[in-house]
Every structure is written in C-alpha cells, then in structure tokens.
Amino acid sequence: MLAALNIQNCDFSREVSAETLSRLNSLGTIKRYSTGENIFNQYDDGTSFHILLDGIVSITALRESGQSTIIDTVHKGHLFGLNSAILHRPYLVSAVADTDVVTLAIPFTNAQQMLTEHPELSLPMLRELATQTRILTNQIRQLKLQKGNERVAHYILSLSPSMTGSFVCDLNEPRRVIAQRLGMTPESLSRSIAALKAKGVIFERTSVRVKDAALLRSYCGLEVIQ
Amino acid sequence: MLAALNIQNCDFSREVSAETLSRLNSLGTIKRYSTGENIFNQYDDGTSFHILLDGIVSITALRESGQSTIIDTVHKGHLFGLNSAILHRPYLVSAVADTDVVTLAIPFTNAQQMLTEHPELSLPMLRELATQTRILTNQIRQLKLQKGNERVAHYILSLSPSMTGSFVCDLNEPRRVIAQRLGMTPESLSRSIAALKAKGVIFERTSVRVKDAALLRSYCGLEVIQ
DNA sequence: CGGGTCGTTGATACGCATCAATACATGTGG
DNA sequence: CCACATGTATTGATGCGTATCAACGACCCG
C-alpha cells in the first residue's frame, strides 16, 4: 500500500535523488480519487500540479454546450496541471480519473523554492513539459494537416513498435475514447476502420493487424515521430 | 546594432542576472536570417534551441504533399525549438523567418550544465515551456470544439484588451496568415468574416470593430483564456 | 498604366456530424 | 442458464461545414 504512494516509482523521479524526493513528498499532499471523479476542473485556479502515482488520468476540454474532447492521457509517473501551476493561471482543461487514482499534489510555490535548493529537479521538470509540448504539437499537426482516415492510420502506427513490415498490436482503449482523442465521432471512426481495410489494416475486437507498415506510413501523409 | 544583440532585451531574460546572461551568451552563437529563410526544418535533429533577439518567427508544420500550417508565431524575447533540444529529438516543426531575424542559438547540452551552475535560469525556462504548452492546448481546444466561425470570433476576442462592451483592434497579420493559424483556408475565413457581421463584428482593412464583446463571447462557445 | 498579389464571392464536391436503426457484447436478476 | 436490460460498435440516410476551383474586384508596385 505504501509502495504505491512512494514517488520513487515514478518515471519523473527516477533521475532525482532520494533526499530531494522525500523533500518533495513533504511539500505535497497525497490525494485519492475514484473512477470518474474530477481531479480539477477547467477554469479553476491552477495552484498545484500533480504527480500521478497510480492510475490513469484523462485531460479533457469542455465546450459550454457540454461537448467534450480528450486532449491527453496521463500515465503513472508523469505530471499534469504543470503549466497552470507554473504560471498561476486557471486550468485550461479538466483532469478526470479514468481509474482509481492516487496523486501527489504539490503547490507550485513550494516547488519553486525547491528548484533553487535542489537544481537537479529542474531538468526532469523541463523534460516533462517538453514531452507535453511535443505531444500537443503532434496533435495539432494531425488535426490541421490530416483527414480523419489519415489520423486513424497515424494513430495505429504510433502504437506500433516497428515501422516496417507487418505487425499486430493491442488497442487498450475503447473505440469511443480513441475517437475522442482523434477528434472525430465514434461513427466516423467506424467508417475509417472500414475504409482502412483496403490499406491492409484489419481491426479485431481489441487489436489491430497491419500488413504493411510502410504502405500505411506513406498513406497517412505525415511522418510518425515521438 | 549591438543593442539588438543584447539578450537583456528579452522577456525571457528579464528575470535572470546579468552575469548568468553573459554566460549564456558565451555558450551560444549569434545567428542571422533574412525574411523567408528557414531557421530549422521539420525532422532535422534538434540539438539547439533559439532565443529570438529580433524579428518574428513562424513555427510551421508541413505535410508531405506540401500543404503547410502555422502552429505558432514567436516574438522577440521568446524561445523556440526548446522541446526538441531538451529531449534531443528531431524537430516536429519548421521555423521560418517572417522578417529579418537575429537569434542566439544555444546547444542544450551547454544549457544543461548551466542549469546546475545557475539555478535561477530554470524558472524562466519552465515558464517559457509552460506558456507554449498553454498556447498549444488552447489551440487544440479550439480545433476540436469550435467551428470555423467560432474560431474566428475567439481569435478576435483574444486580441481584445477588454472582455465587455465594444472595442476596435488592429489586425497585424494578413488574412492569409490568420487563416492558416486558425486551421482554415483564406476563402473560408472570408466567409466567416461575412457571417460575423450579423454578430456585430465589422472587419476593415487592417482592423476589426466589435460592438458587443459579451455577445461574441457567448457566441464562440469556449471561454477566452490566456 | 499594366501586371501581380490579395481578398472576396460563387458553384460545386467532399468529408464528417448527426440522427436513426440494428447488431453485438456485457452484465444482471429471475 | 436464460431473458432481459444496458452500453458499445457498426451501418445507412441525410444535412451541414468547409475545401476546392474558378472568376472577379481592389489594391500595390514597378
């Protein structure tokens, strides 16, 4: 039980010394959320960021009409809510617990003074933000330069370990979630799936089978980069 | 002339000591580009980031077919290419000089050792990245949750100093550029402009006149936040 | 003044959302 | 274990939103 709460289990903190970690731990508060619960809401004042100790969190944006979209999914060991906390601005997005979740919530004012005391902390934080920036940039590229079918192809390729030949990989998210991530309706995703059969992409219940990754890469019109 | 090259003119470095600044200066190289020139290209290896000392830079993404889109515009005093440099990954985007441009290009490996020597530097860098993250997140929200007309309305509101009543503000970018930023064609932008007349938005040559900002805010369906 | 770019407007076609109906899977209680 | 209810994925019919192609007007610059 305590093991789950130990922030040394995190990607983020792997490069940080044990001493700094325990200090960081003392600056924050352990929080628990159950599936479906909101961790913070769009437009709330952003004072704290979170280190995700356990579970999965969806970062979503909502329209006033109620329509929602998934911006990102955060996995164990990563940070979220960081940009708002650093700039002391309202959150642009909501964070929702996809599973039961444990986080360490740290007010950025506390972390700030730590940065001068423990400079080793700054690099991991920069890396986290840099990674987020890349994920978001990639998504904008896709939304602006690709059609729905191409985004689906791109998404499948991004799941694949290899970039050539054939491969099979698991779809760990339900179709509804994939559609929201890709900025389309579930119905459109279904049709894209049907259309991609012609390109040698076979969807099964919880996995995809791709005959020729190179063919798919050339189809989707945009390099697949991490 | 030398004044233009002095990085103390930068937003970024306003909060950094003179000593650190000159050190930073010595770690990098002053580079000059003329209008239209590429500063770096999508998929190039990202080793350096740039501090923009003078001019304006467009961050763009290209499809293999040649179609391009504008992801962001960088102004004097801000950083770009940071995420790739931090992670030693290929650039996801191209940087193009919109005007004649002067930058200080700094290999991140150099900056990295500086971060431990001069911890005061980490906070401004985190702020830069946090700001970028917000800009990108905002853009994704808009692309996924708003129609073209609404994005145009949102864009105009983001230019305005006040959030209520009427206002006039300058359009410093040509329409073609605005369209690319908003993820639409110039033709569609034209039609949106025409449609927004009904909402009390009057476009002139290089400015917009809005009768009722509150009305426009409720129209665009998404809060306008920095 | 004439050639070029830029912005607008119109006609058309395509992509995608929407609404509706059906099939399928999962889970629940009789 | 089956019957039924619930949620999830597919398929079809239709309409809206936006790209595309083409023509035209307005401005800028040589």
Side-chain angles (χ1 to χ4, degrees):
Chain A
M1 193 49 167
L2 240 159
L5 306 184
N6 189 330
I7 67 178
Q8 299 201 38
N9 288 344
C10 297
D11 284 8
F12 163 71
S13 45
R14 202 153 287 150
E15 37 189 328
V16 180
S17 77
E19 185 219 343
T20 310
L21 276 182
S22 69
R23 180 72 209 289
L24 197 57
N25 208 328
S26 75
L27 290 178
T29 317
I30 296 290
K31 305 242 182 180
R32 289 156 190 289
Y33 306 89
S34 26
T35 307
E37 202 175 340
N38 267 45
I39 298 169
F40 55 73
N41 280 305
Q42 189 169 239
Y43 309 141
D44 286 355
D45 255 4
T47 53
S48 301
F49 68 94
H50 292 255
I51 304 181
L52 182 51
L53 303 177
D54 199 26
I56 296 177
V57 171
S58 279
I59 304 298
T60 66
L62 273 90
R63 211 183 134 92
E64 274 154 32
S65 67
Q67 192 192 346
S68 80
T69 188
I70 298 176
I71 307 269
D72 194 14
T73 305
V74 183
H75 295 273
K76 186 173 167 172
H78 289 277
L79 274 49
F80 62 97
L82 196 48
N83 70 68
S84 305
I86 288 176
L87 300 170
H88 306 294
R89 295 263 178 79
Y91 296 112
L92 281 174
V93 291
S94 300
V96 185
D98 270 5
T99 61
D100 285 358
V101 156
V102 185
T103 76
L104 177 63
I106 304 178
F108 190 69
T109 42
N110 295 356
Q112 196 165 339
Q113 92 187 65
M114 260 217 93
L115 280 173
T116 47
E117 291 169 24
H118 299 274
E120 37 164 346
L121 229 154
S122 62
L123 198 53
M125 287 186 77
L126 284 168
R127 274 206 252 275
E128 274 291 318
L129 267 179
T131 303
Q132 282 178 34
T133 304
R134 280 179 88 76
I135 290 171
L136 297 172
T137 303
N138 229 327
Q139 199 169 151
I140 293 175
R141 283 183 351 136
Q142 290 168 42
L143 288 169
K144 282 181 159 178
L145 296 176
Q146 293 182 307
K147 307 276 182 201
N149 291 356
E150 293 167 345
R151 290 204 295 279
V152 176
H154 201 273
Y155 170 78
I156 295 161
L157 286 169
S158 75
L159 296 176
S160 153
S162 72
M163 285 287 100
T164 58
S166 67
F167 66 89
V168 184
C169 58
D170 285 355
L171 297 170
N172 29 25
E173 302 172 306
R175 300 229 198 303
R176 205 189 155 282
V177 171
I178 297 174
Q180 263 192 92
R181 286 179 58 87
L182 297 177
M184 59 176 71
T185 58
E187 294 95 319
S188 293
L189 176 58
S190 255
R191 291 181 223 277
S192 289
I193 286 170
L196 286 174
K197 269 179 200 150
K199 306 286 170 191
V201 182
I202 297 129
F203 276 74
E204 284 144 12
R205 165 144 308 287
T206 61
S207 64
V208 210
R209 184 178 306 275
V210 173
K211 280 198 190 123
D212 182 358
L215 176 77
L216 205 58
R217 282 177 52 194
S218 74
Y219 167 75
C220 72
L222 214 52
E223 290 284 332
V224 180
I225 303 191
Q226 265 44 272
Chain B
M1 191 49 166
L2 239 158
L5 305 185
N6 189 329
I7 66 177
Q8 299 200 39
N9 287 344
C10 296
D11 284 5
F12 164 72
S13 45
R14 201 153 289 150
E15 38 189 327
V16 179
S17 78
E19 184 221 342
T20 311
L21 276 182
S22 70
R23 180 71 210 289
L24 196 57
N25 206 331
S26 75
L27 289 178
T29 318
I30 297 288
K31 305 242 182 182
R32 291 158 187 288
Y33 305 89
S34 25
T35 308
E37 201 175 341
N38 267 45
I39 298 170
F40 56 72
N41 280 304
Q42 189 171 238
Y43 308 142
D44 286 355
D45 255 4
T47 53
S48 300
F49 68 95
H50 292 256
I51 303 181
L52 182 52
L53 303 178
D54 199 27
I56 295 177
V57 171
S58 279
I59 304 299
T60 65
L62 275 89
R63 214 183 130 91
E64 275 154 31
S65 67
Q67 191 192 346
S68 80
T69 189
I70 298 176
I71 307 269
D72 195 13
T73 305
V74 183
H75 295 274
K76 184 173 167 174
H78 289 276
L79 274 51
F80 61 97
L82 196 48
N83 69 67
S84 305
I86 288 176
L87 300 171
H88 307 293
R89 295 262 178 80
Y91 296 113
L92 282 175
V93 291
S94 299
V96 185
D98 270 5
T99 62
D100 286 358
V101 156
V102 185
T103 75
L104 177 63
I106 304 178
F108 190 70
T109 43
N110 295 357
Q112 195 166 340
Q113 94 187 65
M114 262 214 90
L115 281 173
T116 47
E117 291 170 23
H118 299 274
E120 36 164 347
L121 232 157
S122 62
L123 198 52
M125 288 187 76
L126 283 168
R127 274 205 252 273
E128 273 294 315
L129 267 179
T131 303
Q132 281 179 35
T133 305
R134 279 179 90 76
I135 291 170
L136 297 172
T137 303
N138 230 326
Q139 198 168 150
I140 294 176
R141 279 181 357 134
Q142 289 168 42
L143 289 168
K144 283 181 159 178
L145 296 176
Q146 292 181 307
K147 308 278 182 202
N149 292 357
E150 294 167 344
R151 291 203 297 276
V152 175
H154 200 272
Y155 169 79
I156 295 160
L157 286 170
S158 75
L159 297 177
S160 155
S162 72
M163 285 288 99
T164 58
S166 68
F167 66 88
V168 184
C169 59
D170 285 356
L171 298 169
N172 30 23
E173 301 173 306
R175 305 214 168 183
R176 206 189 153 281
V177 171
I178 298 174
Q180 263 191 94
R181 286 179 57 86
L182 296 179
M184 58 177 71
T185 58
E187 295 96 320
S188 292
L189 177 58
S190 255
R191 291 180 224 275
S192 289
I193 287 171
L196 286 174
K197 269 180 201 150
K199 306 285 167 191
V201 182
I202 297 129
F203 277 74
E204 282 144 14
R205 166 146 305 286
T206 60
S207 64
V208 210
R209 184 177 306 275
V210 173
K211 280 199 192 124
D212 182 358
L215 177 76
L216 204 58
R217 282 177 53 194
S218 76
Y219 169 73
C220 74
L222 214 52
E223 290 285 332
V224 180
I225 305 192
Q226 265 45 274

